[in-house]
Structures are given as structure tokens and as C-alpha cells.
Amino acid sequence: MSQGDSTKVATLSRRDFLKLMGAAGTALTFAPFVPWGKFMPNPDSAKLEKVPVILPDGGQANVNTFPTNHAEVITYPSTGDRVLDEEAFRKWQFIRLPEELGGAKNDASSFRAFSMVCLHLWCLWKYWPQEGRKRGECPCHGSMYNPMTGTAFAGPASLQASPSNTLAKLDMEADSKGDLWILPAKFSPNDNGVVGYGRFIK
Ligand code: FES
């Protein structure tokens, strides 16, 4: 073997070794037993209050006017600061279910609000209302979410152990005028869940 050949072999080996190290690092980073919920930038539950569901047009969502099988992005908790309010962990898909999944009732039971942070690698998913879809889909690696429960049923997020297969959610209620409100959330896996980490189904 010439001097040049042995240099080439050594270079390739080093590159392969680095690739392996990278793969091992990725596997460790996403190991399911690590309590990632503690590190996520979730808001402090203690300061949260009941607030209106504010739609992108600035109005409050109402059960009498919001269309069935439709979703909008809402911000919670909103700070009033435009930059802070753009943070991914404050973004929720506010969904009125299709009629066949219970969306026809003019009360809060027709609605869902799930964190948009995908439980796989934290891309933002969204609801697709088209016939044959009617589900949440993540554009990055194809995880799909049940719009009634927030549980992943396909793709990599569906293979993760509970609670990391079910999205954090917000609880809501409607007042006598039909206006919708978000009840104060408690960001722990046994309550509303932890954004980017998940929620136990009770
Ligand atoms: S980040 Fe959503 S499927 Fe990977």
C-alpha cells in the first residue's frame, strides 16, 4: 500500500468514526427516559388566568360563528410583546372538529386546542381539513395526530412512549353568549401536558 493509500484509509475511518459518534449522540439526545419536560420553556402555570380565545383577526372565538372542520393558530399565554408571542411553545392549533367527530354542537365540546410543537423533533404541525385527511400532520417526518385526542397515530411521534405520543392541550369553556375562554393551564404531564414533551391520557 502506498503512502497515499494509507492516508486515504485513515481519513475515511476517521470520518466514519465521527459519523458513528454523531448517530450515538442523536440517539442519546432523544432517549425516551430523559425527563425533557423539565427543560422545556413552558410558562409558569402559577401566573396563568382564564383568558379569551383570541383569533388571528383579533376577535374572540364564538361557538355560533366559528366554522366546523376548521383550525386557526392561537397564542397562549400571550404576553402582549409581539416578539415573545411568536415563540413556538406559545402556538396552539385551535380546532373545531368536523361534524362527524362531534363538531356540530354549539358548546366547548366541539373544540380542541393542542400545542403545535410536534412531539418528535419539535417542528410545527397543523390541522388539515381536506376530505380523507381531517387530522394533524407534521411536515418534517410525517407524524399524524388525532384531532379529538391529540395522540399521534402515525409517524415517529406515534412510536414514542406515553406521555410523548400525546400533545399538550388547553381546556376551554363557553359563556352564555357562546364566547370561548381558555381555563388556566397547568403544564405538567398529568394535567394539560408539557409543550414538546407530552401528556398522559387519563
Ligand atoms: S418533527 Fe414532527 S414528525 Fe418529526
Side-chain angles (χ1 to χ4, degrees), residues 116-125 137-145 154-158 160:
M116 289 182 71
V117 177
C118 179
L119 295 170
H120 178 221
L121 296 180
W122 305 339
C123 288
L124 295 187
W125 66 274
E137 294 180 16
C138 179
C140 290
H141 316 98
S143 288
M144 294 186 192
Y145 292 96
S158 71
Q160 297 178 160

Side-chain angles (χ1 to χ4, degrees), residues 4 12 27 59-61 64 84 102 105 113 130 140 146-147 150 167 174 189 199 202:
L12 282 176
Q60 184 169 3
N64 300 308
L84 284 182
K105 279 200 195 157
Q130 287 83 352
C140 290
N146 179 327
L167 298 159
R199 169 172 60 93
K202 283 179 243 167

Side-chain angles (χ1 to χ4, degrees), residues 1-149:
M1 191 186 288
S2 72
Q3 170 82 31
D5 283 341
S6 68
T7 309
K8 201 167 157 198
V9 169
T11 308
L12 282 176
S13 303
R14 190 177 309 124
R15 189 180 303 147
D16 288 346
F17 175 70
L18 288 175
K19 260 198 222 159
L20 264 178
M21 290 300 286
T26 305
L28 280 175
T29 302
F30 298 105
F33 54 80
V34 178
W36 290 107
K38 294 207 172 71
F39 302 103
M40 294 299 294
N42 282 258
D44 179 357
S45 304
K47 295 186 200 122
L48 299 177
E49 294 169 2
K50 178 172 153 179
V51 292
V53 176
I54 299 296
L55 298 173
D57 68 5
Q60 184 169 3
N62 185 287
V63 299
N64 300 308
T65 53
F66 197 89
T68 54
N69 190 31
H70 182 70
E72 295 284 354
V73 179
I74 60 170
T75 303
Y76 178 86
S78 176
T79 64
D81 179 309
R82 216 159 34 88
V83 176
L84 284 182
D85 283 354
E86 283 312 307
E87 290 170 337
F89 76 89
R90 298 180 193 277
K91 297 300 175 192
W92 304 77
Q93 278 281 278
F94 172 69
I95 303 167
R96 184 167 194 159
L97 297 168
E99 291 191 16
E100 64 272 30
L101 296 182
K105 279 200 195 157
N106 275 355
D107 61 34
S109 72
S110 292
F111 294 83
R112 298 289 186 279
F114 295 117
S115 163
M116 289 182 71
V117 177
C118 179
L119 295 170
H120 178 221
L121 296 180
W122 305 339
C123 288
L124 295 187
W125 66 274
K126 73 168 193 164
Y127 179 71
W128 291 86
Q130 287 83 352
E131 212 42 60
R133 290 170 97 172
K134 298 187 178 177
R135 62 195 175 207
E137 294 180 16
C138 179
C140 290
H141 316 98
S143 288
M144 294 186 192
Y145 292 96
N146 179 327
M148 294 184 73
T149 60

